[in-house]
Amino acid sequence: PWTAIVFVGALLTVVFGVLNMVVAVVVDEFAEARQKDVELMANELDENAQEDIKFLEDIFARVDEDGSGELDLDELLNGARKIPEFRHRLRVMDIDEADLKQLFYMLDCDGSGTIEPAEFITALSRWLHESKTAARFVKYNLEKAMEQQEQTRESLNLAIERMEHRRSEE
């Protein structure tokens, strides 16, 4: 009778040990499958990104009415009105016609008055997959307001210095 208790205890230990090993193998298999899924998703994202770049290159070429290789504000506005694919892309990004002028200045990183293909493609490709379009507009406006505030502060400081200089001369 006492040996039965020891035997049952040993048997349960072996059974739970084997079950633990089976669970470990199953978990390991699922972890490997998940890793392969992550790699597959990364490959799909890369393929989609390449397709998206080609799509945006095509849109850029169609929006570039004069064939200069750069977009000015009028071309961007006309392209948004005339090219359905571009209009749909902007709509998905929650950019309406009222926002296009601001979009133009945001994309014109170098301040040249035109948008180059790289500026256009990089921003529109990245922004489509991020739900931060509104935040980007707010950030852009805030940065511009801060620049204007800094310029105003510098002008005021210069004016104060002039006034103090004139007052000290009197």
Side-chain angles (χ1 to χ4, degrees):
W2 291 101
T3 57
I5 293 173
V6 172
F7 181 72
V8 170
L11 184 62
L12 287 175
T13 302
V14 170
V15 168
F16 284 120
V18 170
L19 285 175
N20 199 14
M21 293 293 285
V22 169
V23 169
V25 169
V26 169
V27 168
D28 190 46
E29 288 297 317
F30 280 121
E32 286 181 30
R34 182 173 184 264
Q35 182 64 31
K36 289 179 184 174
D37 281 350
V38 169
E39 291 172 10
L40 180 65
M41 287 183 349
N43 290 337
E44 286 178 7
L45 285 174
D46 288 343
E47 289 175 14
N48 290 343
Q50 293 302 321
E51 290 175 16
D52 196 45
I53 288 171
K54 289 178 183 173
F55 175 75
L56 288 170
E57 287 172 345
D58 179 57
I59 287 180
F60 186 90
R62 291 170 56 196
V63 172
D64 184 18
E65 295 171 345
D66 62 3
S68 65
E70 298 178 327
L71 301 179
D72 59 27
L73 180 58
D74 290 332
E75 288 176 322
L76 185 72
L77 294 171
N78 290 335
R81 287 185 201 114
K82 295 178 182 177
I83 300 172
E85 294 90 349
F86 186 40
R87 186 172 52 248
H88 297 314
R89 177 77 165 226
L90 293 172
R91 186 167 184 223
V92 167
M93 294 171 62
D94 196 28
I95 298 173
D96 58 16
E97 191 167 341
D99 297 327
L100 281 174
K101 188 172 183 180
Q102 184 175 347
L103 175 69
F104 178 81
Y105 292 115
M106 289 172 68
L107 295 179
D108 183 19
C109 300
D110 57 4
S112 64
T114 59
I115 300 172
E116 298 172 7
E119 295 170 327
F120 180 84
I121 292 166
T122 301
L124 292 184
S125 179
R126 189 178 63 240
W127 292 1
L128 178 68
H129 302 292
E130 297 176 2
S131 60
K132 301 176 184 175
T133 304
R136 288 185 190 281
F137 277 87
V138 170
K139 180 181 176 186
Y140 175 79
N141 285 329
L142 184 60
E143 287 173 349
K144 289 299 176 190
M146 288 173 66
E147 287 175 16
Q148 289 174 346
Q149 180 185 12
E150 183 62 26
Q151 290 171 353
T152 303
R153 188 180 69 77
E154 289 172 4
S155 297
L156 285 173
N157 284 340
L158 187 61
I160 290 170
E161 287 176 15
R162 287 184 196 149
M163 290 171 58
E164 288 175 351
H165 180 57
R166 285 184 197 154
R167 198 167 118 197
S168 67
E169 288 179 352
E170 292 176 354

